[in-house]
Amino acid sequence: MQKNSLNKRGKFKKINIAWLWPFLLSGFILYAFLRHDFSAITNVYQQIAWPLICLSVGFNIFILYFRVYKWAIIFKPMNRRFTYFNMCLSLFTGGLVNMVIPARVGGLVQAFLIREKENESFLTALGTVAMIRIFDSIMLVFFGILILLIRSIPQAGDEYFQSIFKTAGTAGLFLALLVMILFAFTKSPKTLDKLIYLLLVPVPNRFKPGTKNAVGRFREGLICLNFAGYVCLGLLLSLIFWLLCGVNVFILLKATGLEFEGILPSFLILVAQAFSMGIPAPANIGPYHAATVTVLSFYGVPAQSALYAAIVMHAAMFISNTLPGLFYLWLDKTPILETLKGLKDVNQTLR
């Protein structure tokens, strides 16, 4: 009986996750066509510069590799060197999961795969993922506020961008406070011990040692905060990351035939899209389109044309953010059931 069970599991393990990609893309296209009127889309597609679309997809994949480099910087103060393939596999798979599952659990998958492939602590890896997210969020807020301050906003969009400005300012204060707390954690172990002691007061005694150990391992992933040079480098790379994303939006706008004076409108669209991605939705369908259409409408783009442009931009983003993850999973022969089991085992890992 046990032997038959093992044989069945062996058969399942041969299943590779890469075959899912055509179904994911088909599902996205079907969903979009069911939700919108595409009676005039044939004429729109004839006007699209497909070479620029291909350039955008390739450029976005380059940005993904740039993100791997950013992540590797965070590991350097830990004196840990991981293979570039495993880091790409982990980050790209995390991005794939974020595009498909609205729960935004890609960071957990990213940390889990590093644990499996490099024998690193899951919580330490998760700490580095959190650090990158914090750096990116800080620079997105800084970038957004800077663009809103130097750009002449269309009058129709004053109220919309004022709300984004207030949201960004609030988020900036929160992130600054969070960084100061994390800095105190890494610089002063005694401060961390006192905080942990207060937090563990309501926790049953049998769980306290494991919880304290888990916090300590997570703190190891934040060790780059001990080095001002790495913090400055991490923030600079995050700023470059957002600038590259803005260039990609500029390319996509030109591909759809929408041209504006300068590149700043592309950055405004990027800021709105980035904030919209915080809203949980499968493949970011809905919030991404609403943000894009809203900003384009402020520049006088008709609603239908703005919608078509948003769909084309989203399709290019979806392909370029999922295809690399599936390709690396195919190269690694990572079985789908093992990957899904890893997500289930995350709670056990946290003990």
Side-chain angles (χ1 to χ4, degrees), residues 108-274:
L108 296 177
V109 175
Q110 188 176 336
F112 170 77
L113 286 173
I114 279 294
R115 185 198 74 170
E116 293 296 297
K117 299 296 181 180
E118 298 285 355
N119 197 28
E120 177 60 88
S121 164
F122 169 80
L123 285 164
T124 301
L126 188 62
T128 64
V129 173
M131 199 71 263
I132 283 293
R133 297 285 175 87
I134 291 171
F135 283 164
D136 284 347
S137 299
I138 289 173
M139 296 316 294
L140 173 64
V141 169
F142 169 78
F143 184 68
I145 292 176
L146 180 64
I147 294 300
L148 291 173
L149 286 175
I150 66 175
R151 175 61 182 170
S152 176
I153 304 298
Q155 188 173 0
D158 281 346
E159 185 176 345
Y160 177 81
F161 285 111
Q162 282 297 327
S163 65
I164 288 185
F165 188 86
K166 292 177 182 178
T167 302
T170 304
L173 291 174
F174 173 78
L175 289 169
L177 179 62
L178 179 60
V179 169
M180 286 189 289
I181 293 173
L182 292 175
F183 182 78
F185 280 0
T186 55
K187 277 294 187 182
S188 175
K190 290 183 179 179
T191 303
L192 177 61
D193 291 339
K194 289 178 182 178
L195 180 62
I196 292 174
Y197 176 79
L198 291 174
L199 294 175
L200 295 183
V201 169
V203 176
N205 288 331
R206 59 180 177 146
F207 294 122
K208 287 183 179 180
T211 304
K212 188 173 182 179
N213 181 48
V215 173
R217 282 182 289 167
F218 183 81
R219 186 178 62 176
E220 291 177 10
L222 309 177
I223 197 171
C224 74
L225 288 174
N226 285 345
F227 305 92
Y230 280 105
V231 172
C232 293
L233 180 59
L235 291 171
L236 176 62
L237 292 176
S238 289
L239 177 60
I240 294 173
F241 165 72
W242 289 118
L243 288 171
L244 292 174
C245 291
V247 171
N248 196 39
V249 172
F250 178 77
I251 295 171
L252 286 170
L253 288 173
K254 287 188 71 69
T256 56
L258 299 176
E259 296 191 25
F260 304 98
E261 183 180 348
I263 198 172
L264 286 179
S266 303
F267 290 148
L268 280 173
I269 294 172
L270 169 67
V271 170
Q273 290 173 344

Side-chain angles (χ1 to χ4, degrees), residues 268-295:
L268 280 173
I269 294 172
L270 169 67
V271 170
Q273 290 173 344
F275 276 100
S276 74
M277 288 183 181
I279 304 172
N284 299 120
I285 295 173
Y288 180 96
H289 299 82
T292 306
V293 171
T294 299
V295 179

Side-chain angles (χ1 to χ4, degrees), residues 45-103:
Y45 276 170
Q46 289 176 351
Q47 299 172 5
I48 291 176
W50 293 106
L52 286 178
I53 294 292
C54 294
L55 173 63
S56 170
V57 170
F59 189 72
N60 198 49
I61 292 174
F62 163 76
I63 293 174
L64 291 179
Y65 280 103
F66 180 77
R67 290 183 63 195
V68 175
Y69 173 73
K70 281 201 313 161
W71 190 27
I73 292 295
I74 302 300
F75 279 104
K76 281 195 173 183
M78 299 165 52
N79 294 320
R80 290 299 310 271
R81 289 187 178 182
F82 301 144
T83 65
Y84 197 67
F85 178 88
N86 286 337
M87 295 197 72
C88 290
L89 171 68
S90 303
L91 191 144
F92 294 168
T93 303
L96 163 66
V97 171
N98 275 340
M99 289 300 299
V100 178
I101 301 177

